Amino acid sequence: MAEFIEIYNERFHSLLRPGASLQKIANNAVHSEGPVYFYEDDSVVWSDAHGNRLLRWSADDGVSILRDPSDYQSGNYRDQEGRLVACSSGNRAIIRREYDGQWRVLVDSYQGKRLNSPNDLVVKSDGTIWFTDPPYGITQPDQGYGGKQEQPGSFVYRFDPATDEIDAVVTDMVRPNGLAFSPDEQLLYVSDTAAFNIPQGPHHIRVYEVVNGRHVTNGRVFAVIDPGQPDGLRVDEHGNVFTSSQDSVQVYAPDGTRLGKILVPETCANLTFGGQERDRLLIAAGKSLYAIDLNTHGVQQP
Ligand code: MG
């Protein structure tokens, strides 16, 4: 097996593509975050979260700058119509790129108070946007414009762009960060990166049962991640959880068994499935963007 693969369980073999290599495809960022794939032109858009820019890569065009400054854009996703939706850590908002190319604020407050600084998001099949709201854009000078925290905690929210309704769905985590649904959307996984700057803070992934498609219950620790913290995460068609960590992308079976690691030379922040078949893992790590072909497919839309 390739030297960048660590296997903890035999089941990991079936997810790997024999002979596949880990490729560095870009290295232009200060801190890579939030990759999202565009099948229309086989490109990747990702955030240079600390460089305050939004970048794009394609094999044909190389790297280009889509937005500068990006107001410390972090996590990116696409909605049912293919529009880019994103977390603006600087503007403390969820934003969307409209068909005319303009960015529009969808939501920036909850119960009359400003959000902390949305970090990562997913769009559920019903069109609702679920996002995390740790305070890093307020507390970290290279992740936002500072300011005062108005929310009493760091929550996970469900926002419906059709009705502008917003609910806090997870309120029992310290620093919720990355998130993903299971393939049937009956489970919600959320990473907690508190250990990043809180001594003894959690560095784990919690899993919640989704109720009626709009609430969650029965939260529990799914996996404790070492070394470092879990940040962005994604789920494949079998329900396996792919999470970032300090040294690698780590892969966990739905029962919580750690299957293996894909070692990456820089600290992993986030990842997504791309390629026309959604079988190419795209990894935002350190200053770079990496890719590796797998023998499994991501479930995220579109
Ligand atoms: Mg994040």
Side-chain angles (χ1 to χ4, degrees):
M1 190 52 62
E3 71 284 352
F4 60 91
I5 299 291
E6 282 185 8
I7 293 180
Y8 297 95
N9 185 287
E10 288 304 308
R11 283 181 278 169
F12 196 39
H13 285 286
S14 67
L15 305 179
L16 301 170
R17 183 90 60 88
S21 63
L22 180 72
Q23 302 166 333
K24 184 190 280 194
I25 59 176
N27 64 349
N28 309 66
V30 178
H31 178 77
S32 290
E33 249 286 3
V36 62
Y37 181 71
F38 283 74
Y39 61 88
E40 298 90 333
D41 57 3
D42 194 23
S43 69
V44 185
V45 169
W46 83 105
S47 296
D48 182 357
H50 298 186
N52 201 7
R53 303 181 300 173
L54 187 67
L55 304 175
R56 173 185 180 272
W57 175 89
S58 76
D60 292 339
D61 306 332
V63 175
S64 55
I65 298 170
L66 283 188
R67 207 178 167 216
D68 182 8
S70 62
D71 294 322
Y72 295 96
Q73 200 160 323
S74 179
N76 297 288
Y77 213 84
R78 298 182 73 191
D79 69 8
Q80 307 313 108
E81 298 178 36
R83 290 172 295 194
L84 190 53
V85 287
C87 293
S88 177
S89 193
N91 284 340
R92 303 168 67 168
I94 299 298
I95 57 177
R96 184 174 69 201
R97 188 171 63 181
E98 304 296 348
Y99 294 114
D100 63 4
Q102 297 297 308
W103 290 90
R104 179 178 148 207
V105 171
L106 297 181
V107 61
D108 60 4
S109 65
Y110 172 64
Q111 294 187 333
K113 300 185 175 79
R114 293 186 76 186
L115 296 172
N116 297 332
S117 58
N119 186 282
D120 211 347
L121 76 173
V122 288
V123 178
K124 199 164 166 287
S125 60
D126 62 4
T128 54
I129 299 169
W130 297 53
F131 65 95
T132 60
D133 190 40
Y136 296 127
I138 303 172
T139 60
Q140 305 304 116
D142 55 359
Q143 295 186 42
Y145 298 124
K148 184 169 160 286
Q149 180 169 336
E150 299 182 16
Q151 296 296 335
S154 296
F155 303 145
V156 180
Y157 295 96
R158 171 191 181 275
F159 172 71
D160 188 345
T163 62
D164 284 343
E165 188 182 3
I166 179 169
D167 290 310
V169 288
V170 175
T171 57
D172 62 351
M173 293 183 68
V174 185
R175 295 288 182 265
N177 198 311
L179 72 174
F181 286 103
S182 60
D184 60 6
E185 297 186 336
Q186 294 300 303
L187 299 172
L188 176 69
Y189 297 94
V190 188
S191 71
D192 198 319
T193 50
F196 163 65
N197 61 1
I198 299 176
Q200 312 305 320
H203 45 101
H204 61 211
I205 297 170
R206 289 176 65 81
V207 61
Y208 296 83
E209 294 166 23
V210 178
V211 182
N212 298 327
R214 56 181 303 152
H215 302 292
V216 303
T217 187
N218 288 336
R220 61 181 171 82
V221 174
F222 171 74
V224 176
I225 306 299
D226 286 301
Q229 307 92 41
D231 192 341
L233 50 108
R234 289 286 180 261
V235 172
D236 77 359
E237 59 191 328
H238 309 294
N240 297 308
V241 177
F242 288 65
T243 177
S244 58
S245 73
Q246 186 173 302
D247 67 345
S248 61
V249 172
Q250 302 192 22
V251 184
Y252 289 79
D255 64 6
T257 302
R258 186 165 69 168
L259 301 180
K261 286 182 178 181
I262 300 165
L263 296 169
V264 179
E266 299 175 76
T267 299
C268 297
N270 216 327
L271 53 128
T272 194
F273 286 92
Q276 297 294 318
E277 307 294 328
R278 298 197 315 279
D279 58 356
R280 187 167 170 78
L281 191 67
L282 300 159
I283 305 161
K287 301 179 186 310
S288 306
L289 196 61
Y290 294 84
I292 180 172
D293 293 324
L294 296 174
N295 191 31
T296 186
H297 306 81
V299 292
Q300 78 266 22
Q301 300 286 332

